[in-house]
Amino acid sequence: MWDLLIRRARLATMTPGSPWGELPGAPPAGPDGLPLGALAVTDGQIAWLGPDGALPAGGAARLELDAEERLLTPGLVDCHTHLIHAGSRAAEWGERLAGASYEELAARGGGILSTVRATRAAGFDGLLAASRPRLDALLADGVTTVEVKSGYGLDLDTELTMLRVARRLGQLLPVTVRTTYLGAHAVPPEFAGRADAYLDFIIDRLLPAVAGGLADALDAYCEPHAFSAAQVNRLFSAAARHGLPVKLHAEQRSDSGGAALVAARRGLSADHLEHLSPAGVRALAAAGTVAVLLPGAYLHLRETRPPPVAALRAAGVPMAVATDLNPGTSPLGSITAAMNLACTLFGLTPAEALAGATRHGARALGLLDRGVLAPGRRADLALWDVEHPADLCGRLALPALATRVVAGAVHHAPIR
Ligand code: NIG
Ligand code: FE
């Protein structure tokens, strides 16, 4: 007796080897779409899947859902967000539209530091209230696993508060929250002109406090106006001493050698990558580090140089797609919209975009128990009111989610 059985679904399993994944016992997907199948869940894990007609004799479940030929995919993974923050960057957005650059605003204490001021003032309850609707929006778009970064506190109390708010959100809502400590996001005002002293403070005070369970990984911002490769390298050495996996905002605005740095540590992911060099591509491929593409930031910053997707593809680097949800460069609360932009702006195929928000997004978080539909994997699922999986990213901001399943528990989407 299974806990849950979903029948008559079009299954995009997203297993490696074919664009939309393979369904055991079924012929490969044809151009017209995916075969109809069934999926059974026990104890929060996928117990069986295959063609409807191949259901084991006597296969029954406590709860049965007729998918009515809707699309069933792994629950989506948003592997890069800054969704916890307070304040507004509306005035800066106006200035940027009128021609000011992101670096100009940062140099005069705007940008990240303006969000730091608002975030420090908000407190735990204020941050929780401000952030929850942003996470709600992601869940309504099929997300079942989300990464959340700190990095808008930059002092001991506020960084810890941000990570605690992230953990609290993971208790309040049906979603897996993975936390990342991003202390090296900007140099805070109390350390102005003393970036190395700020790094000492991170290494001596913050890392011991976050490494004991509050943070699942460490991230930094490697860029001339933020932290140099040498500084990031020092931080990565300290993270290694605490056993914290690393990832990096790398090659977003310039080729600073960040991808090679994170690859040398066998890091989880290198993120952004618009200015990634051929040597950086080779380093990621050799290390098995995921390239995380963030087309929302590219769009919002009105960038013109896309990441080298053809080279990444040719080198076999797994490409994840994420929202980068943040108040300054990517105020984007939809992973399916990020998938659309990854296709239209960066040239991913629709199947690559879906793999980027499932299998490869999960790998970018070190979560190998999810991101594909296969026996033994966690039963995180999304059921969509579309027939063909390319429709998920072939549309923009058209709600399509019918139901999410999180570790086998069914959560119907709100009525639209
Ligand atoms: O991913 N690049 C650095 N961090 C964020 C932007 C943060 C901000 O501007 O508030 C990003 O683009
Ligand atoms: Fe980011």
Side-chain angles (χ1 to χ4, degrees), residues 252 272 294-303 323-324 329-330:
Q252 180 184 14
H272 286 286
L294 303 167
Y298 175 94
L299 175 76
H300 200 66
L301 289 170
R302 296 189 293 166
E303 300 279 11
T323 61
D324 196 13
T329 66
S330 190

Side-chain angles (χ1 to χ4, degrees), residues 80-82 149 182 185 219 249 252 272 294 324 326 329:
H80 180 141
T81 85
H82 310 247
K149 300 176 195 296
L182 175 57
H185 197 194
D219 191 357
H249 283 72
Q252 180 184 14
H272 286 286
L294 303 167
D324 196 13
N326 79 65
T329 66

Side-chain angles (χ1 to χ4, degrees), residues 82-175:
H82 310 247
L83 70 83
I84 297 179
H85 56 262
S88 165
R89 304 266 282 272
E92 289 186 5
W93 167 234
E95 288 187 65
R96 281 209 294 110
L97 286 175
S101 80
Y102 184 65
E103 284 79 1
E104 276 163 39
L105 297 170
R108 60 161 135 102
I112 292 168
L113 292 182
S114 103
T115 300
V116 168
R117 287 188 288 278
T119 301
R120 285 180 176 182
F124 182 97
D125 292 339
L127 287 175
L128 186 67
S131 307
R132 185 177 168 146
R134 294 191 273 264
L135 184 52
D136 285 336
L138 293 178
L139 302 201
D141 199 37
V143 167
T144 52
T145 299
V146 66
E147 185 256 19
V148 178
K149 300 176 195 296
S150 73
Y152 290 125
L154 310 184
D155 60 16
L156 181 76
D157 279 359
T158 316
E159 286 291 304
L160 297 185
T161 299
M162 288 186 73
L163 294 169
R164 288 185 184 124
V165 169
R167 289 283 187 235
R168 185 82 188 112
L169 286 169
Q171 293 161 351
L172 289 171
L173 296 171
V175 62

Side-chain angles (χ1 to χ4, degrees), residues 3 16 78 118 155 161 183 195 211 214 269 303 320 363 378 391 401:
D3 294 331
D78 191 350
D155 60 16
T161 299
L214 256 188
S269 67
E303 300 279 11
R363 176 164 165 184
R378 197 178 140 93
D391 287 331
L401 185 77

